[in-house]
Amino acid sequence: MNRLICLVLLSTFWIFPGEGYDPCCAQPCQNQGVCLSKGADAYECDCTRTGYYGENCTTPELLTFVKTNLKPRPSILHHILTHYKWIWDIINNISFLRDAIMRYILTSRSHLVSSPPTYNADYNYKSWEAYSNLSYYTRTLAPLPLNCPTPDLPNAKQVVERVLVRKQFIPDPQRTSLMFAFFAQHFSHQFFKSDFKKGPAFTKALGHGVDLGHIYGETLERQHKLRLFKDGKLKYQVVDGEVYPPLVKDVQVEMHYPPHIPEDQRFAVGHEVFGLVPGLMMYASIWLREHNRVCDIMKQEHPDWDDERIFQTTRLILIGETIKIVIEDYVQHLSGYNFKLKFDPELLFSERFQYHNRIASEFNTLYHWHPLMPDNFQIQDQLYGHHQFVFNNSILTKHGIRNMVESFTKQTSGRVAGGRNLPAAVQGVAVNILEHSRQMRYQSFNAYRIRFNMKPYSSFEEMTGDKELAAEMQQLYGHIDAVELYPGLLVEKPRPNAVFGETMVEMGAPYSLKGLMGNAICSPEYWMPSTFGGKVGFDIVNSASLKKLVCLNINGPCPMVSFQVPDVKYESSENVNSSSGHSTPNNINPTVVLNERSSEL
Ligand code: HEM
Ligand SMILES: *[C@@H]1O[C@H](CO)[C@@H](O)[C@H](O)[C@H]1NC(C)=O
Ligand SMILES: *[C@@H]1O[C@H](CO)[C@@H](O)[C@H](O)[C@H]1NC(C)=O
Ligand SMILES: *[C@@H]1O[C@H](CO)[C@@H](O)[C@H](O)[C@H]1NC(C)=O
Ligand SMILES: *[C@@H]1O[C@H](CO)[C@@H](O)[C@H](O)[C@H]1NC(C)=O
Ligand SMILES: *[C@@H]1O[C@H](CO)[C@@H](O)[C@H](O)[C@H]1NC(C)=O
């Protein structure tokens, strides 16, 4: 009931009860019922398969009533999954229980994503154009109809300055490392690749998912320029005995570098903007080495195969490795769960699940995790400010991959939720995202909470958990239902000891899991050893981990590598000054340093 009242409030806020507006502006249809206008003052709600009926789809069917009352709140599920470690230690070891829970997580999350996709920024009703035009990001909530009144929104720059920009660095209590932050940026830019020439509603990444276009290039032409055409491999160069991506001048692919960058610092990779920060180029180098390493293995397994077949099979193996690492290392870290997540496509073979994905604009918006970035980057004993760090590939070759990895593993990222932790150096990105979401007629933060099965916030204090921040937000937005998606996510009260608030996780997890498991390689048709060049390749996929990805691709002893900063103070003077030669083999027990997962290898 409480929820209904909030919904009515939400609707009335967006219109004045005047005439001449589309009756669907008031969003009268609840519970994902679809509104159809019939002239200027009549509408119809289509409640088909919503589990509700009535004029506005507000009356639950009996089964819906029972289900909604039995279903635990997200906050309760989250609490259970992040506590009671001793119980989870047992459950994690009982394979049918672990499988059942993982299956439940996958299905309950991915069912929140519309599939096949429905709307886009220009179509708030179903249409073949919206379905079939892959140049658009899809939209989970339809854009507000064009002729609807919208509330006066605060100046975007003011919002950013008053509640988003960092005053003083707030470390993430989950101890997320920069190794994680740059993985996030590197991984996500394969499918978040806005085509700003067409507008923020458009994407250049037509694969709409994990296709590794950031390694191999979005077009066939680019891919061919990056390939060696020998044994399936990619082109590379050797600097100080280490393998790095080739130079732009040698492969002739377009990369975005400012004019002052010298030729021998212009590395060329699949994604045009990966020269932006050495963190991206570090991962690009690691994946390039991994590709060529796997090619060698394939060549050995199949001496009869030509370049093309080795290349294509290796690409599928790397897609599999990526999904494995993202679920079992990356999402595992983010979730904070004591339950051990599992990448196993077979879990879904008995379920109704579409092997298809379309990237949503809202997913892109919520993934702007720039507060993860610190004010300075400490690599070995050197401190780089943002200005020295961006477009500076020489940092990578100067320190080498192993030292970059180790330094990024030791440095803590910033907390994302809770407000005021966005580095001033990237505040322009936040202003853009606000302006773009207005241009694309996003619905409110609270509307998204309802869409993803959460109760809308009823006050600024409930949303932020902080009096001062609440007052500032109130001044900016006036009404809680006017708060926009992106600032809502960043000022939201973080969950206890967590990097994110509730909404980031409850929205992000469905998009993420759907995108990972909806990949073609996870379908019954593909998921078998022969797809990956036989048992050897399939094993590479099924045993992939962040630690192996790094350590199999550098010479010498394995550095510290983790998405979580080890719970030991490495910053102590003793370690800093003895660390000029990190090659001194692990004086720290690696199983303490790496998260539990890696130690099982
Ligand atoms: C110092 C590091 C970083 C810099 C300088 C930076 C800078 C930028 C810039 C200039 C844009 C273009 C946005 C625009 O103008 O609208 C952008 C987009 C974006 N950034 Fe970052 N960023 C950094 C780190 C990160 C990290 C760690 C993440 C984590 C996930 C991230 C996620 C994104 C996403 C999702 C987009 C949207 C991409 C698109 O739509 O094409 N960024 N960033
Ligand atoms: C449906 O919503 C409209 C507009 O919000 C309202 O006027 C009407 O009373 C509602 N109908 C029912 C049955 O609740
Ligand atoms: C779980 O199983 C592993 C090996 O399969 C074993 O080493 C470990 O002790 C088990 N843990 C518990 C809590 O039973
Ligand atoms: C997709 O839509 C855009 C904008 O309307 C249009 O310019 C483009 O040609 C469309 N693409 C295709 C393949 O139809
Ligand atoms: C780039 O990094 C190098 C260290 O490799 C540093 O000496 C230089 O000052 C940096 N460049 C800029 C423009 O800050
Ligand atoms: C390391 O630091 C300690 C004190 O902080 C100092 O006594 C020692 O000489 C330093 N060692 C080196 C190799 O610089």
Side-chain angles (χ1 to χ4, degrees), residues 4 8 11-12 23 26-30 43 45 54-56 58:
L4 187 60
V8 171
S11 315
T12 48
Q27 300 182 283
C29 311
Q30 310 303 317
Y43 68 89
C45 292
E55 190 185 335
N56 301 324
T58 47

Side-chain angles (χ1 to χ4, degrees), residues 295-342:
C295 284
D296 282 336
I297 296 172
M298 284 298 111
K299 172 86 177 168
Q300 203 168 27
E301 283 291 302
H302 306 281
D304 52 317
W305 280 8
D306 64 359
D307 165 78
E308 182 69 14
R309 182 133 195 214
I310 296 179
F311 172 83
Q312 298 296 350
T313 303
T314 299
R315 181 173 186 165
L316 291 182
I317 293 173
L318 263 70
I319 290 174
E321 287 187 53
T322 301
I323 299 174
K324 171 88 175 175
I325 292 171
V326 170
I327 292 181
E328 296 196 1
D329 287 323
Y330 178 96
V331 178
Q332 182 76 56
H333 164 72
L334 263 194
S335 70
Y337 291 172
N338 289 321
F339 171 68
K340 203 157 111 198
L341 299 173
K342 184 178 181 191

Side-chain angles (χ1 to χ4, degrees), residues 226-237:
L226 292 168
R227 281 172 61 178
L228 197 58
F229 288 109
K230 183 166 185 305
D231 301 340
K233 291 189 177 177
L234 292 169
K235 289 179 185 160
Y236 60 93
Q237 62 168 327

Side-chain angles (χ1 to χ4, degrees), residues 17-80:
E19 280 122 56
Y21 291 116
D22 182 335
C24 290
C25 286
Q27 300 182 283
C29 311
Q30 310 303 317
N31 299 303
Q32 295 189 60
V34 178
C35 186
L36 271 184
S37 59
K38 303 173 81 176
D41 48 12
Y43 68 89
E44 213 172 76
C45 292
D46 184 347
C47 312
T48 306
R49 287 184 289 277
T50 59
Y52 292 80
Y53 60 95
E55 190 185 335
N56 301 324
C57 314
T58 47
T59 318
E61 289 161 4
L62 181 62
L63 189 62
T64 310
F65 183 81
V66 173
K67 273 193 197 157
T68 47
N69 280 286
L70 285 180
K71 199 160 84 188
R73 282 269 165 74
S75 53
I76 293 172
L77 278 180
H78 182 81
H79 178 89
I80 296 172

Side-chain angles (χ1 to χ4, degrees), residues 264-557:
D264 67 348
Q265 294 297 320
R266 293 172 178 250
F267 295 179
V269 298
H271 195 304
E272 304 86 287
V273 309
F274 280 4
L276 178 66
V277 283
L280 288 171
M281 199 51 81
M282 175 193 78
Y283 273 112
S285 309
I286 292 173
W287 280 109
L288 177 132
R289 294 178 187 186
E290 177 66 1
H291 177 92
N292 288 352
R293 187 187 75 87
V294 173
C295 284
D296 282 336
I297 296 172
M298 284 298 111
K299 172 86 177 168
Q300 203 168 27
E301 283 291 302
H302 306 281
D304 52 317
W305 280 8
D306 64 359
D307 165 78
E308 182 69 14
R309 182 133 195 214
I310 296 179
F311 172 83
Q312 298 296 350
T313 303
T314 299
R315 181 173 186 165
L316 291 182
I317 293 173
L318 263 70
I319 290 174
E321 287 187 53
T322 301
I323 299 174
K324 171 88 175 175
I325 292 171
V326 170
I327 292 181
E328 296 196 1
D329 287 323
Y330 178 96
V331 178
Q332 182 76 56
H333 164 72
L334 263 194
S335 70
Y337 291 172
N338 289 321
F339 171 68
K340 203 157 111 198
L341 299 173
K342 184 178 181 191
F343 171 51
D344 181 1
E346 288 186 18
L347 294 174
L348 289 174
F349 289 176
S350 56
E351 305 291 311
R352 198 193 68 197
F353 182 80
Q354 305 274 338
Y355 291 96
H356 183 280
N357 190 53
R358 190 78 59 86
I359 298 296
S361 196
E362 295 97 331
F363 189 28
N364 184 344
T365 301
L366 74 78
Y367 229 104
H368 281 67
W369 298 342
H370 296 88
L372 289 174
M373 290 291 101
D375 295 319
N376 295 293
F377 301 85
Q378 178 169 1
I379 299 167
Q380 296 185 273
D381 48 9
Q382 259 178 268
L383 217 54
Y384 297 94
H386 278 258
H387 275 92
Q388 298 158 298
F389 197 64
V390 296
F391 291 114
N392 196 344
N393 285 333
S394 79
I395 292 178
L396 186 61
T397 44
K398 175 184 159 143
H399 296 274
I401 302 281
R402 59 174 297 111
N403 289 319
M404 297 289 283
V405 166
E406 191 147 296
S407 297
F408 286 155
T409 296
K410 286 181 186 173
Q411 189 171 354
T412 309
S413 299
R415 191 180 213 175
V416 174
R420 296 202 179 119
N421 206 18
L422 181 73
V426 290
Q427 61 180 306
V429 179
V431 175
N432 283 345
I433 196 87
L434 270 171
E435 280 166 356
H436 293 153
S437 28
R438 290 171 188 187
Q439 197 183 327
M440 292 189 283
R441 306 183 68 78
Y442 270 28
Q443 295 189 30
S444 68
F445 182 59
N446 261 345
Y448 280 101
R449 286 190 48 89
I450 294 166
R451 171 63 178 72
F452 284 88
N453 288 341
M454 288 165 280
K455 206 170 75 53
Y457 285 122
S458 53
S459 75
F460 287 98
E461 256 193 76
E462 188 195 7
M463 179 174 68
T464 62
D466 176 284
K467 277 205 161 58
E468 203 266 323
L469 203 54
E472 201 80 58
M473 284 294 284
Q474 167 112 48
Q475 258 190 24
L476 287 164
Y477 283 97
H479 194 287
I480 188 76
D481 289 331
V483 174
E484 298 164 278
L485 177 61
Y486 179 67
L489 290 162
L490 289 203
V491 303
E492 187 178 29
K493 170 165 56 83
R495 277 173 162 161
N497 297 312
V499 62
F500 296 142
E502 178 183 60
T503 315
M504 184 74 84
V505 176
E506 299 302 313
M507 281 185 74
Y511 290 127
S512 163
L513 293 176
K514 171 71 181 170
L516 295 163
M517 301 306 292
N519 195 288
I521 69 152
C522 299
S523 68
E525 204 65 48
Y526 280 67
W527 186 249
M528 56 188 78
S530 54
T531 305
F532 306 94
K535 183 177 180 309
V536 170
F538 205 34
D539 284 348
I540 293 177
V541 171
N542 285 312
S543 66
S545 70
L546 174 71
K547 188 190 170 200
K548 283 177 85 176
L549 174 67
V550 169
C551 296
L552 294 177
N553 290 299
I554 54 175
N555 303 322

Side-chain angles (χ1 to χ4, degrees), residues 573-574 577-578:
S573 54
E574 188 195 340
N577 72 358
S578 66

Side-chain angles (χ1 to χ4, degrees), residues 95-381:
S95 67
F96 84 92
L97 275 180
R98 185 177 172 209
D99 286 357
I101 293 167
M102 191 64 207
R103 187 180 296 115
Y104 174 77
I105 290 175
L106 290 175
T107 51
S108 63
R109 294 285 195 193
S110 54
H111 281 163
L112 286 167
V113 176
S114 315
S115 182
T118 48
Y119 313 113
N120 69 30
D122 291 324
Y123 290 89
N124 62 1
Y125 51 90
K126 279 160 207 149
S127 68
W128 194 257
E129 175 58 24
Y131 167 69
S132 63
N133 191 327
L134 296 178
S135 303
Y136 285 91
Y137 291 114
T138 186
R139 283 283 285 277
T140 297
L141 282 184
L144 294 161
L146 265 178
N147 54 354
C148 296
T150 45
D152 281 335
L153 290 168
N155 175 277
K157 233 176 131 202
Q158 283 218 351
V159 175
V160 172
E161 281 165 7
R162 286 167 64 180
V163 296
L164 300 187
V165 168
R166 175 178 294 157
K167 300 241 161 75
Q168 195 188 355
F169 178 75
I170 304 164
D172 167 27
Q174 260 174 278
R175 285 187 281 115
T176 298
S177 66
L178 287 189
M179 196 63 190
F180 177 94
F182 290 121
F183 190 101
Q185 190 184 15
H186 180 264
F187 166 73
S188 68
H189 280 43
Q190 72 186 295
F191 46 78
F192 300 138
K193 215 176 161 186
S194 300
D195 192 349
F196 290 114
K197 274 190 200 131
K198 288 195 190 137
F202 296 90
T203 176
K204 290 188 265 190
L206 305 180
H208 285 273
V210 183
D211 62 358
L212 268 40
H214 62 330
I215 299 174
Y216 303 110
E218 191 54 51
T219 63
L220 193 58
E221 192 199 350
R222 192 177 176 96
Q223 182 205 107
H224 284 177
K225 286 178 171 172
L226 292 168
R227 281 172 61 178
L228 197 58
F229 288 109
K230 183 166 185 305
D231 301 340
K233 291 189 177 177
L234 292 169
K235 289 179 185 160
Y236 60 93
Q237 62 168 327
V238 177
V239 181
D240 297 337
E242 286 207 66
V243 171
Y244 291 100
L247 294 178
V248 170
K249 75 170 163 63
D250 295 328
V251 296
Q252 297 296 316
V253 305
E254 199 201 320
M255 289 292 291
H256 300 168
Y257 285 105
H260 70 268
I261 304 295
E263 224 175 35
D264 67 348
Q265 294 297 320
R266 293 172 178 250
F267 295 179
V269 298
H271 195 304
E272 304 86 287
V273 309
F274 280 4
L276 178 66
V277 283
L280 288 171
M281 199 51 81
M282 175 193 78
Y283 273 112
S285 309
I286 292 173
W287 280 109
L288 177 132
R289 294 178 187 186
E290 177 66 1
H291 177 92
N292 288 352
R293 187 187 75 87
V294 173
C295 284
D296 282 336
I297 296 172
M298 284 298 111
K299 172 86 177 168
Q300 203 168 27
E301 283 291 302
H302 306 281
D304 52 317
W305 280 8
D306 64 359
D307 165 78
E308 182 69 14
R309 182 133 195 214
I310 296 179
F311 172 83
Q312 298 296 350
T313 303
T314 299
R315 181 173 186 165
L316 291 182
I317 293 173
L318 263 70
I319 290 174
E321 287 187 53
T322 301
I323 299 174
K324 171 88 175 175
I325 292 171
V326 170
I327 292 181
E328 296 196 1
D329 287 323
Y330 178 96
V331 178
Q332 182 76 56
H333 164 72
L334 263 194
S335 70
Y337 291 172
N338 289 321
F339 171 68
K340 203 157 111 198
L341 299 173
K342 184 178 181 191
F343 171 51
D344 181 1
E346 288 186 18
L347 294 174
L348 289 174
F349 289 176
S350 56
E351 305 291 311
R352 198 193 68 197
F353 182 80
Q354 305 274 338
Y355 291 96
H356 183 280
N357 190 53
R358 190 78 59 86
I359 298 296
S361 196
E362 295 97 331
F363 189 28
N364 184 344
T365 301
L366 74 78
Y367 229 104
H368 281 67
W369 298 342
H370 296 88
L372 289 174
M373 290 291 101
D375 295 319
N376 295 293
F377 301 85
Q378 178 169 1
I379 299 167
Q380 296 185 273
D381 48 9

